[in-house]
Amino acid sequence: MIAVGGVLAYHAYQLPDVSDLAIQSRDGALALENRDGLLMASFGPLHGRPIQVADMSPYLPAALIATEDRRFRFHFGLDPIGIARATVTNLRAGRVVQGGSTITQQLAKNVFLTADRSFGRKIQELLLSFWLEHKFTKDEILTIYLNRVYFGAGAYGVEAAAQKYFGTSASRVSLSEAALLVGLLKAPSRYNPAVNPDLAGKRTAEVLGNLVEVGDLTQAQARAAALAPITLAGAAGTGSGRRYFADWIHEQVPGYVGRRAEDLSVRTTFDPGLQALAEAAVAKGIAEGRAKGAHQAALVALDPATGAVRAMVGGASYGGSQFNRAVQARRQPGSTFKPVVFLAALEAGWSPGDTISDAPIRIDGWAPENYDHLNQGNITLLQALARSRNAATVRLQEMVGRGRVRALAHDLGIASNLTQGPSLALGVSELSPLELAALYAAFANGGHTVVPHGITTISDAAGRVIYQRQGSGFGAGVSARATAMLNQMLSETVRHGTGQAARLDRPVAGKTGTTQNFRDAWFAGYTADLVTVVWVGDDRGRPMDDITGGGLPADIWQHFMQAAHVGLPKRSLPGVDGDQLARVQ
């Protein structure tokens, strides 16, 4: 007895500190929420906020007890009957098919102890189990267990798991969802429904069967739950395309709150519905354009009033390339830059009906040609922009002044360096799709500069807000009158010009862009509700086969925007009312 007591005392002395059952020290995790507050992505291990058993869906503790420890309510941390039953079962099978450890033992082992199989660790497990049973009620043990155990996909705790897999709280999971979560505990990676849906389904059915065996369900209820489709609505079940947006946000967080070891929660501007539509539109476009050399594409959509980014596609496949072409790639925007030239002219007193010559022009030995190699004589500014005439645009820039064009571009949010030469008018200065989208937002909102952003709030683990976004931009960058006239002109570009493929059932304005040798093709356009920029091309800058901005990019844009506006009322753009061009005095 003295020897046994000495062994127990020795191992008791070696026990870890169990005075604080809060989450132990670890690297901080970053949880990203969409605009509605639902988890969309995470970086590092995700630990859910503690939730009491009484506040959970009742199916969760019931499924856990039925599957892991049916005598949980009656034993004292160790279940001799369960151990005997498991021993007999394993001897009959000739291998280990059933464990005899209780939920309390699993809690002691998984939370406080290492995974080694030594005799000393087993003694410590028993001592901790007895202590837990003495210190806490059964419901408190279940609460601690379910808030600490690992459910796969980086999720620790049932609340994090419910958010990660189903985009909901653990208090609201259904019977089949609860069975799936409990089934994950046996082998989280193996039964991950996003990776192995068939195995996850079979394991869920096993858990439901356990509930039938203990009398918590009828056969009919279990059968109905097993047949009920489980929709993965959380971050673990969404497409990888959202990772472009998530990576963009992840890189920005330290700039707002510094580097922290604690968990952080970031509320973003991300709209999962629009993201799904954007990914579908880009996938369809790439499938159609790949044969013509269009191997990559990017799409960014933002709110013109605030600059909040709602959707972002950074490439044809995140799995194939994590390079975000919507943010990191800088390409020549081509004719999508031309509206800045015309807006500068409108600010200087020109009007859409004024004429400009489209005759050949030569400046310091440089002679830009029109796409069709033809010149149309005197045409109106409206016609020059709608038909994307190069000669007329360069001539207008030289009359207005390059300095004025560059200054206006910077006033509207373009931070990139712009060329000093006459080719400025034709969009030779490289921009990102995100930067171009912010520029077009100023057209859509009546001349106000916006800052494209994806973060609204950042909170710590206790829910305290440590960053709150204030404001949306830098105010008016150009007059409302000039912007209204530009909207008339860009609306005509879609109605009767190079952007006809982008027409919608509501007021819309936009501009096509195609760079030399078809290396880049763009469509940038907007309604009163959404600004979207689409780029199509090849990472190596290889020419495409006659793909212009008015072709594939406009098709992708129209496919996305048409779906994005379903159910939204038709709203006027500044200067454009309904299907008619308003006259601005």
Side-chain angles (χ1 to χ4, degrees), residues 281-300:
V282 169
K284 180 176 182 292
I286 289 297
E288 295 173 355
R290 189 173 286 113
K292 292 187 175 183
H295 297 118
Q296 286 293 349
L299 182 153
V300 60

Side-chain angles (χ1 to χ4, degrees), residues 281 284-286 288-290 294 296-297 521 523 534 536 544 547-558:
K284 180 176 182 292
I286 289 297
E288 295 173 355
R290 189 173 286 113
Q296 286 293 349
F523 189 83
V534 175
V536 169
M544 296 179 287
I547 291 183
T548 66
L552 184 59
D555 290 339
I556 294 174
W557 187 95
Q558 198 275 344

Side-chain angles (χ1 to χ4, degrees), residues 396-414:
L396 181 64
Q397 172 188 258
E398 297 304 293
M399 297 175 71
V400 172
R402 296 175 210 164
R404 179 172 287 181
V405 173
R406 281 195 302 273
L408 179 59
H410 291 313
D411 287 345
L412 295 180
I414 297 296

Side-chain angles (χ1 to χ4, degrees), residues 43 108 179 204 217 231 236 285 297 325 340 470-471 473 485 580:
F43 294 84
T204 299
L217 290 181
T231 302
R325 294 154 191 83
V340 180
Q470 302 290 338
M485 288 189 290
Q580 302 298 319

Side-chain angles (χ1 to χ4, degrees), residues 127-493:
L127 290 174
L128 277 174
S129 298
F130 297 151
W131 178 84
L132 288 168
E133 289 282 346
H134 173 72
K135 180 74 173 178
F136 301 103
T137 67
K138 291 292 187 179
D139 278 355
E140 287 172 337
I141 291 173
L142 286 177
T143 294
I144 299 168
Y145 181 90
L146 285 168
N147 279 300
R148 299 290 294 272
V149 72
Y150 183 58
F151 286 87
Y156 289 83
V158 70
E159 181 67 14
Q163 292 282 357
K164 193 91 174 187
Y165 290 106
F166 306 120
T168 189
S169 170
S171 64
R172 293 193 291 270
V173 295
S174 66
L175 170 59
S176 54
E177 290 169 344
L180 187 149
L181 290 176
V182 169
L184 284 168
L185 298 176
K186 183 177 182 180
S189 298
R190 177 176 172 78
Y191 295 114
N192 186 327
V195 179
N196 298 310
D198 291 339
L199 281 177
K202 292 178 181 178
R203 178 60 178 161
T204 299
E206 290 178 8
V207 175
L208 292 169
N210 293 334
L211 286 165
V212 173
E213 290 179 6
V214 298
D216 288 342
L217 290 181
T218 65
Q219 285 284 2
Q221 290 172 325
R223 191 179 304 110
L227 294 175
I230 295 179
T231 302
L232 297 182
T238 55
S240 62
R242 76 192 187 285
R243 298 300 306 193
Y244 287 116
F245 181 92
D247 288 351
W248 177 56
I249 297 298
H250 181 243
E251 292 174 0
Q252 297 177 60
V253 171
Y256 288 100
V257 298
R259 296 196 176 276
R260 295 174 175 244
E262 62 186 319
D263 288 354
L264 295 177
S265 179
V266 181
R267 178 69 65 89
T268 73
T269 60
F270 184 80
D271 187 314
L274 291 181
Q275 179 69 22
L277 297 176
E279 291 179 26
V282 169
K284 180 176 182 292
I286 289 297
E288 295 173 355
R290 189 173 286 113
K292 292 187 175 183
H295 297 118
Q296 286 293 349
L299 182 153
V300 60
L302 54 81
D303 183 331
T306 65
V309 177
R310 301 302 186 198
M312 178 182 289
V313 180
S317 167
Y318 182 84
S321 169
Q322 289 78 55
F323 181 68
N324 190 340
R325 294 154 191 83
V327 176
Q328 297 170 297
R330 306 181 64 78
R331 311 294 289 244
Q332 292 184 350
S335 294
T336 57
F337 185 81
K338 286 179 180 176
V340 180
V341 176
F342 287 83
L343 185 58
L346 296 172
E347 279 282 83
W350 292 64
S351 66
D354 291 340
T355 59
I356 188 79
S357 173
D358 189 43
I361 183 173
R362 180 176 294 273
I363 304 172
D364 298 331
W366 177 66
E369 291 188 354
N370 290 317
Y371 172 73
D372 57 8
H373 304 293
L374 301 175
N375 297 90
Q376 298 181 345
N378 289 331
I379 55 177
T380 65
L381 265 61
L382 181 68
Q383 293 169 330
L385 185 57
R387 301 172 188 173
S388 201
R389 308 306 292 175
N390 290 341
T393 302
V394 172
R395 181 172 280 106
L396 181 64
Q397 172 188 258
E398 297 304 293
M399 297 175 71
V400 172
R402 296 175 210 164
R404 179 172 287 181
V405 173
R406 281 195 302 273
L408 179 59
H410 291 313
D411 287 345
L412 295 180
I414 297 296
S416 298
N417 292 326
L418 299 175
T419 181
Q420 301 284 326
S423 58
L424 169 70
L426 304 186
V428 299
S429 301
E430 296 177 341
L431 305 176
S432 70
L434 181 66
E435 200 170 8
L436 190 64
L439 173 68
Y440 273 66
F443 304 159
N445 67 29
H448 294 270
T449 304
V450 302
V451 177
H453 64 276
I455 297 175
T456 56
T457 62
I458 302 176
S459 305
D460 63 17
R464 293 184 295 264
V465 175
I466 54 180
Y467 168 79
Q468 174 76 55
R469 182 170 184 81
Q470 302 290 338
S472 59
F474 301 110
V478 66
S479 71
R481 179 179 182 276
T483 307
M485 288 189 290
L486 180 68
N487 285 338
Q488 295 176 24
M489 299 165 73
L490 291 176
S491 179
E492 183 68 9
T493 299

